[in-house]
Amino acid sequence: MQIGHICSNNVVTCRSNTTVLEAAQLMRRNHVGTLIVVEEVNGMLVPQGIVTDRDIVVVVLAEGLDPKSIKVIDIMKVELMTAVETEDVFETVERMRFKGVRRIPIVDKMGGLVGIVSVDDIWKFLSKEISELADVTTRQQTREKVARRR
């Protein structure tokens, strides 16, 4: 299965010059804990970094810094791991595990943002697959019972 099939296409983005306060307001308004920091390149939104609600709390608020004067570029994670939408889910999981990241932007072959995938999205996908696999046994038993009645 390709990672692009299970990613969320509802991605909330901001620019690198967005203030931390504006970022927090965006998160609240959109009910998300992550923003993808993007730059427009040739008409595409290209991921540059990622900022989370935890970054805001740990880096800005806990240090007593002014969220109106700090920009997301100052706190965002710039070592950004992305996955191309055609990449295999399990390959993506392996890279996420190796890097220790819980969510990554999904891009098209040109590098344009198409979605985001989180560990929760992957859990949902895997639990559905496991459930369907469990149904194989039940169906097999049902078919066997019907076949024996003949």
Side-chain angles (χ1 to χ4, degrees):
M1 171 78 67
Q2 296 178 342
I3 196 70
H5 291 292
I6 68 167
C7 74
S8 170
N9 301 108
N10 185 21
V11 185
V12 183
T13 64
C14 69
R15 304 299 174 139
S16 61
N17 65 348
T18 302
T19 68
V20 170
L21 177 62
E22 293 167 329
Q25 292 168 338
L26 261 174
M27 289 176 181
R28 179 183 171 135
R29 190 169 41 251
N30 291 283
H31 308 285
V32 297
T34 301
L35 298 176
I36 303 300
V37 182
V38 295
E39 179 180 312
E40 190 168 338
V41 177
N42 298 325
M44 295 183 302
L45 293 180
V46 178
Q48 302 297 307
I50 191 167
V51 65
T52 67
D53 49 6
R54 188 171 199 287
D55 296 327
I56 292 171
V57 170
V58 172
V59 177
V60 178
L61 298 179
E63 294 294 325
L65 302 175
D66 180 8
K68 291 183 231 169
S69 65
I70 307 287
K71 306 286 186 194
V72 295
I73 194 167
D74 299 320
I75 68 167
M76 72 181 191
K77 294 172 184 70
V78 290
E79 187 183 319
L80 185 65
M81 184 179 100
T82 62
V84 177
E85 62 188 336
T86 55
E87 186 175 305
D88 182 74
V89 169
F90 296 106
E91 179 182 343
T92 305
V93 168
E94 181 62 20
R95 292 192 315 114
M96 289 173 75
R97 184 191 63 76
F98 181 74
K99 290 284 191 175
V101 298
R102 298 182 52 79
R103 61 192 64 77
I104 61 170
I106 306 302
V107 296
D108 61 20
K109 63 183 176 186
M110 303 296 286
L113 182 65
V114 296
I116 188 169
V117 72
S118 70
V119 170
D120 289 346
D121 298 321
I122 294 167
W123 275 120
K124 280 186 218 173
F125 165 72
L126 292 174
S127 66
K128 182 180 175 197
E129 293 296 308
I130 290 168
S131 177
E132 289 182 14
L133 187 59
D135 285 345
V136 169
T137 303
T138 305
R139 288 186 186 130
Q140 178 187 18
Q141 290 170 346
T142 302
R143 287 181 53 202
E144 192 174 294
K145 287 178 186 174
V146 169
R148 288 186 183 164
R149 289 183 194 155
R150 294 182 186 163

